[in-house]
Amino acid sequence: MKLFINIGLLILIFISNDIDFQKAENYFKAEKYSLAKPIFEKILKEEPNNLKTIEYLGDIAGIEKKWEDAITYYEKLKKSNPNNANYWYKFGGAMGMKAKSVNKFKALGMIDDVENAFLKATQLDSKHIDSRWALVMLYIELPGIIGGSERKAQKYSNELMKLSKVDGYLSQGYIDEYFDRYKKAETNYLKAYQIGNSKTTFQKLYDLYQNKLKDKAKAIKLKEQFEKK
């Protein structure tokens, strides 16, 4: 009889957790993170290996800029499922953001972990766009003496071009803009905008006109065209 009671209690706990998870997930999607977080934490205490709950808590920690907490959650994810590219990508992203928040000496010791996490994600998933974007940005922003390289960034920009023309042209534009090649950046952002016709592609081209090329006429015309669509 005791066995049946215990089984019944377990079933009730799982049913309750399913309901709570749906509630927390809805809060998360509505960007009500302070309401979602305690519910996810409660679920995790009862189901410590619930990977989706761990991922949500990692995402919330990242949104709150609590990078150490985010790293802990994502590290648990990648250890539980080392073949999941997205877990490696999120781990690398949290490590990268932490590196930006600490002193330069400590950050230097973290760069290899960040790079390796992003590289692992690209190896695990040949179509993982976010990790390739992360590598483009990493290699462009890092000084050459510690691994930065336009050539390396270009390699992953070329891979993005094969996966998504919009991301490919945006990443090419990003590289050109970083090196003050504004006319080339305009060409690439314009191609991305023509293909994607999205808020993101509009914003990149608009910002270039406004802040780098200082061409208000083009900026105004682009904005008028975008708002008519």
Side-chain angles (χ1 to χ4, degrees):
M1 178 64 72
K2 188 175 180 181
L3 176 62
F4 290 119
I5 292 173
N6 288 340
I7 291 173
L9 286 172
L10 281 173
I11 291 171
L12 285 174
I13 288 171
F14 283 123
I15 292 173
S16 175
N17 283 350
D18 284 344
I19 294 171
D20 285 344
F21 182 87
Q22 190 61 57
K23 184 191 295 184
E25 190 172 50
N26 289 338
Y27 280 142
F28 182 91
K29 290 176 180 178
E31 299 183 3
K32 298 178 180 179
Y33 307 117
S34 62
L35 296 176
K37 184 178 178 179
I39 301 174
F40 282 133
E41 289 176 334
K42 172 181 171 291
I43 294 171
L44 191 62
K45 285 181 180 178
E46 295 168 354
E47 298 179 46
N49 295 315
N50 188 318
L51 299 185
K52 194 61 186 173
T53 296
I54 295 170
E55 185 172 9
Y56 272 127
L57 284 169
D59 293 348
I60 292 171
I63 290 164
E64 294 176 341
K65 297 184 175 14
K66 295 179 179 177
W67 306 121
E68 199 66 56
D69 291 343
I71 289 167
T72 299
Y73 285 123
Y74 294 144
E75 187 164 31
K76 187 171 183 179
L77 287 176
K78 71 182 184 65
K79 284 182 177 178
S80 298
N81 188 349
N83 293 320
N84 186 303
N86 216 39
Y87 293 164
W88 282 95
Y89 162 71
K90 289 189 174 185
F91 174 75
M95 286 284 290
M97 293 308 296
K98 182 185 175 183
K100 287 186 175 183
S101 69
V102 299
N103 64 66
K104 291 181 179 180
F105 183 77
K106 190 172 182 179
L108 282 173
M110 301 172 66
I111 290 171
D112 284 348
D113 288 335
V114 175
E115 180 185 16
N116 289 336
F118 291 148
L119 288 172
K120 183 71 173 179
T122 64
Q123 292 161 6
L124 288 170
D125 186 348
S126 61
K127 296 181 180 180
H128 199 273
I129 286 176
D130 288 339
S131 58
R132 286 165 171 80
W133 252 114
L135 285 167
V136 169
M137 297 173 74
L138 179 70
Y139 289 134
I140 283 299
E141 293 180 11
L142 281 179
I145 196 170
I146 54 174
S149 164
E150 183 180 357
R151 179 182 57 80
K152 290 180 183 177
Q154 190 65 53
K155 174 182 185 294
Y156 290 99
S157 178
N158 292 342
E159 289 188 13
L160 283 170
M161 189 69 77
K162 293 176 183 177
L163 295 172
S164 161
K165 292 295 184 184
V166 171
D167 286 287
Y169 285 123
L170 282 176
S171 62
Q172 294 279 3
Y174 170 81
I175 294 170
D176 288 329
E177 183 178 358
Y178 187 89
F179 289 107
D180 300 336
R181 300 189 295 254
Y182 298 141
K183 294 306 291 183
K184 285 187 176 180
E186 178 188 9
T187 299
N188 283 307
Y189 285 153
L190 187 57
K191 288 179 180 178
Y193 174 68
Q194 290 169 341
I195 298 170
N197 192 26
S198 66
K199 185 177 180 180
T200 298
T201 55
F202 157 75
Q203 197 65 55
K204 293 299 294 185
L205 185 57
Y206 181 78
D207 288 347
L208 184 76
Y209 285 148
Q210 280 280 79
N211 303 316
K212 300 296 172 64
L213 289 171
K214 307 294 184 182
D215 192 329
K216 290 186 178 181
K218 281 188 176 181
I220 292 170
K221 184 178 179 181
L222 178 70
K223 188 175 183 180
E224 290 174 347
Q225 290 174 343
F226 184 73
E227 289 176 345
K228 285 180 183 178
K229 295 178 181 179

